[in-house]
Amino acid sequence: MESTENLTPLNVEQLTNLLSRAYLAMVRSGTPFQKFPSVMLWGPPGVGKSQAVRQIAAALEQGTGRRVAVTDVRLLLFNPVDLRGIPAANADRTLAVWLKPKIFQMDESENVLNLLFLDEISAAPPSVQAAAYQITLDRMVGEHRLPENERTCSACGSKLVEIGKEVRRSLMMKPAEFWVREDVYYTYACKNCEQETGEANIVKAAKEPALLPGSFASAEAVTYLATQKFVMYSPLYRLEQEFNRQGLRLSRQTMANWLLNISEKWLRPVYDTLREQLCREPVLHADETTLQVLKEPGRSSTSKSYMWLYRTSGCAKQAVVLYEYQPTRKAEHAEYFLQGFSGWLHADGYQGYHRLPGSIRVVGCWAHARRKFDEALQTLPKEMQKDSPAAIGECYCSRLFKLEQAFAELTPEERYEKRLEQAKPVLDALLSWANEMQAKTAPKSALGRAIHYLLEQWPYLARYLEDGRLELSNNRAERSIKPFVMGRKNWLFANTPGSAQASAVIYSLIETAKENALDPYRYLPWVLQNAPQLSETGKAWAEKLLPARAPKECYVPQK
């Protein structure tokens, strides 16, 4: 248990006043809200997180008169990159508190406020105050006053005096703008040398290396194409049509070539460096999904190919999300990609993962196990669902998830102990129940399939008890592969294996950037602008372009 001796007890009145002021300030500012409201508290170092959560929940309950559970309050320690502007020396003094919408009687379906406020903000460092006040979009103010000759009272002829104003706010937008930048590099010669020796001394202005020699592609243009296709899921043919409407003639073939070339030449080395970093982690997640490739050598255009995904777990200091294209779903692809990795691998029930080397211990996914029982439950009439075997199986699984929620704020060591104490008895009871039910259930029924899956996967499902860093499900990987699935619904297929792997590389850098609070539209230009010049300095140049090295300008603005 963390020390709480430095934790200042929360004053109920002060806390509720703080929340009220923050709420009203944000309502009046008209700032767009995010899903869950949050309050930023500036507190002392050495804070005990679990104790702080309990204190905040109790204070809110007393101050609002509503029931506030510990699970309604989520408290995280921020690191310097999460709130840029906070000095690293003060990073351990910053607490973030998330409160569920019901605290303010907000509907979860609404876009509710992101309450950004600092306790006693005037006492915080200037850099923190600046971060706190960056809560609105940039504004362009147009002032409308009466002309000088109309500022006369129509009743008595006296001069009118300004007594107030009315403000109307409008959100303004403009489409993407295109222009050509010309860099002119001049050449100089010494005429004196030419006259005396017959040979001029010629000097040229230093020229920066081109992104793609012989092409008019720029880092900004290629980034725009990449973010439109891989973040906004817009196929290149739609971009071509949009550009044509705005007077820019840029074919989809040219755009595709740009993306292929920058992926292979500049982004692939960064990708390979991230892969080395990934394989040094003790815990990983993996998943895969289908992809259609039209021009796969030796295969028909309707054949199934696969996009594999590998990513770090919640215990990693730096998140890494990598995609890899492969023509099949064979386990040898995962084995090759994970060369050098030794540890736990979260995965679904696909048997290919179970054939990986012994140094890789596969951890099963309880979300898949629970889903099987839910599917069995949905086959029953509503009046028969309650207290049915399928409902009992789902209840066991849900109990494990509820326990994990309660363990969320614990250290890995504490979580390991709590799981053995509280989750293992649930697992033992579930296994005993499943073995008993298997003999009574038709194997081909929905319930029979759910029980069969549970028992077949049991060695992998129970493995999360081995270490407190392991997770109950593989949802982290499924969330990370979703952007690719969403994109596939729009652009449908890849033309060649090369374009499929180029997509994998670009997706990897974009999703890794997003996982690390970087804005892809800021991070990718930084990489592409620096890669050509850095590549001339040595083999390890790609390490200097990893997300962890990105400057603060590449992060999502905290507004």
Side-chain angles (χ1 to χ4, degrees):
M1 180 63 69
E2 296 174 271
S3 171
T4 59
E5 59 186 33
N6 292 321
L7 181 62
T8 304
L10 293 172
N11 180 290
V12 176
E13 184 177 353
Q14 290 179 348
L15 179 60
T16 51
N17 285 342
L18 167 67
L19 299 181
S20 300
R21 292 203 316 271
Y23 180 76
L24 291 174
M26 295 299 288
V27 168
R28 290 167 180 165
S29 73
T31 302
F33 293 24
Q34 295 179 2
K35 188 171 182 182
F36 292 103
S38 64
V39 176
M40 207 73 68
L41 299 178
W42 182 254
V47 173
K49 290 172 64 177
S50 301
Q51 178 66 20
V53 167
R54 287 194 291 271
Q55 274 191 307
I56 291 169
L60 284 170
E61 185 170 303
Q62 183 179 345
T64 62
R66 303 196 193 118
R67 171 64 180 152
V68 181
V70 173
T71 53
D72 292 331
V73 179
R74 185 177 172 213
L75 183 148
L76 297 173
L77 288 175
F78 267 70
N79 124 1
V81 302
D82 292 317
L83 245 190
R84 292 181 313 289
I86 294 181
N90 295 321
D92 62 338
R93 299 181 61 203
T94 308
L95 301 178
V97 183
W98 269 262
L99 306 171
K100 287 190 175 178
K102 73 176 187 179
I103 301 298
F104 294 116
Q105 296 181 327
M106 296 178 186
D107 189 327
E108 294 220 20
S109 65
E110 296 177 359
N111 250 353
V112 296
L113 285 173
N114 179 32
L115 303 179
L116 180 59
F117 207 85
L118 294 170
D119 188 11
E120 298 303 329
I121 189 168
S122 59
S127 56
V128 179
Q129 295 183 37
Y133 288 126
Q134 291 176 0
I135 59 175
T136 58
L137 295 172
D138 294 334
R139 296 177 186 237
M140 179 182 295
V141 179
E143 295 188 334
H144 307 272
R145 288 184 168 87
L146 283 175
E148 196 69 39
N149 60 356
E150 295 182 17
R151 298 183 190 179
T152 304
C153 177
S154 59
C156 70
S158 300
K159 186 177 180 180
L160 296 179
V161 178
E162 190 175 293
I163 61 170
K165 60 184 178 181
E166 178 183 342
V167 179
R168 181 181 67 189
R169 294 183 177 90
S170 305
L171 179 63
M172 307 301 291
M173 298 182 184
K174 62 181 177 181
E177 293 181 333
F178 310 102
W179 65 94
V180 174
R181 170 178 167 173
E182 291 186 352
D183 289 293
V184 182
Y185 299 93
Y186 288 93
T187 303
Y188 300 84
C190 178
K191 292 299 181 179
N192 185 56
C193 290
E194 186 177 10
Q195 288 177 358
E196 292 183 358
T197 65
E199 185 174 337
N201 182 24
I202 297 175
V203 180
K204 293 184 177 182
K207 186 187 297 185
E208 293 182 359
L211 181 68
L212 297 174
S215 164
F216 61 92
S218 68
E220 292 80 5
V222 174
T223 296
Y224 182 79
L225 299 179
T227 53
Q228 287 299 305
K229 179 173 181 179
F230 299 109
V231 178
M232 304 307 297
Y233 318 129
S234 182
L236 294 183
Y237 79 87
R238 288 187 199 161
L239 291 176
E240 181 183 26
Q241 293 171 352
E242 176 65 21
F243 294 161
N244 282 338
R245 284 191 290 270
Q246 298 184 50
L248 175 65
R249 301 293 180 262
L250 187 63
S251 71
R252 70 190 77 174
Q253 186 58 53
T254 298
M255 291 187 274
N257 287 337
W258 287 0
L259 293 173
L260 279 168
N261 287 326
I262 64 106
S263 170
E264 183 60 32
K265 191 170 185 177
W266 305 124
L267 302 185
R268 185 59 193 249
V270 182
Y271 173 94
D272 290 338
T273 306
L274 285 170
R275 177 181 170 183
E276 294 174 5
Q277 179 179 324
L278 179 91
C279 290
R280 291 195 293 267
E281 290 291 328
V283 185
L284 298 180
H285 294 251
D287 201 2
E288 72 290 326
T289 189
T290 57
L291 171 67
Q292 184 181 2
V293 178
L294 298 183
K295 298 176 183 177
E296 183 86 55
R299 307 178 76 203
S300 70
S301 61
T302 57
S303 299
K304 274 187 181 181
S305 298
Y306 286 85
M307 188 65 78
W308 293 69
L309 174 130
Y310 308 90
R311 65 151 300 150
T312 52
S313 193
C315 59
K317 292 183 179 179
Q318 194 79 31
V320 176
V321 180
L322 298 182
Y323 296 80
E324 186 196 34
Y325 164 74
Q326 289 293 351
T328 69
R329 202 187 184 194
K330 293 181 180 178
E332 63 192 41
H333 301 311
E335 182 177 353
Y336 179 79
F337 189 91
L338 295 173
Q339 282 183 343
F341 169 66
S342 177
W344 291 277
L345 179 68
H346 289 275
D348 56 23
Y350 172 48
Q351 293 295 328
Y353 293 113
H354 303 157
R355 293 194 288 271
L356 292 174
S359 60
I360 300 176
R361 295 181 63 76
V362 176
V363 182
C365 176
W366 278 96
H368 280 74
R370 181 168 64 174
R371 197 174 302 149
K372 299 288 184 184
F373 284 107
D374 182 66
E375 290 169 357
L377 192 62
Q378 300 308 314
T379 63
L380 301 174
K382 285 190 176 181
E383 60 273 12
M384 295 178 61
Q385 290 182 2
K386 188 177 180 181
D387 298 328
S388 66
I392 294 173
E394 185 183 41
C395 184
Y396 273 117
C397 297
S398 296
R399 174 61 180 157
L400 294 174
F401 279 93
K402 287 180 180 178
L403 287 173
E404 285 304 300
Q405 288 180 354
F407 303 157
E409 301 298 334
L410 301 180
T411 65
E413 294 76 16
E414 291 171 337
R415 190 178 301 114
Y416 170 77
E417 296 294 337
K418 286 293 184 181
R419 283 173 176 172
L420 293 181
E421 178 187 330
Q422 298 183 33
K424 192 175 184 305
V426 178
L427 289 169
D428 293 341
L430 173 57
L431 179 60
S432 175
W433 174 85
N435 283 322
E436 181 183 340
M437 288 301 302
Q438 188 179 36
K440 306 176 184 178
T441 308
K444 293 186 178 181
S445 66
L447 178 61
R449 290 193 296 271
I451 293 175
H452 174 75
Y453 179 89
L454 180 74
L455 295 176
E456 181 186 48
Q457 297 292 320
W458 189 263
Y460 311 104
L461 290 170
R463 192 162 281 167
Y464 85 102
L465 293 177
E466 293 181 356
D467 194 286
R469 294 169 296 180
L470 303 180
E471 298 181 3
L472 191 63
S473 74
N474 196 34
N475 287 345
R476 194 178 291 272
E478 293 196 0
R479 287 194 298 270
S480 292
I481 209 167
K482 189 175 181 180
F484 176 81
V485 174
M486 296 291 290
R488 185 185 60 195
K489 289 181 179 179
N490 288 272
W491 39 258
L492 302 177
F493 52 80
N495 194 36
T496 64
S499 64
Q501 186 55 34
S503 297
V505 170
I506 297 173
Y507 259 121
S508 297
L509 265 68
I510 285 175
E511 291 305 313
T512 298
K514 288 161 63 177
E515 284 282 326
N516 290 283
L518 292 164
D519 179 356
Y521 196 71
R522 291 174 171 85
Y523 173 64
L524 286 182
W526 175 74
V527 172
L528 297 176
Q529 287 163 2
N530 289 282
Q533 195 164 8
L534 286 174
S535 65
E536 299 175 353
T537 63
K539 292 184 178 180
W541 63 269
E543 292 183 5
K544 300 175 183 177
L545 299 176
L546 295 178
R549 302 284 191 90
K552 64 180 182 179
E553 292 79 14
C554 293
Y555 285 84
V556 176
Q558 297 289 330
K559 290 189 175 181

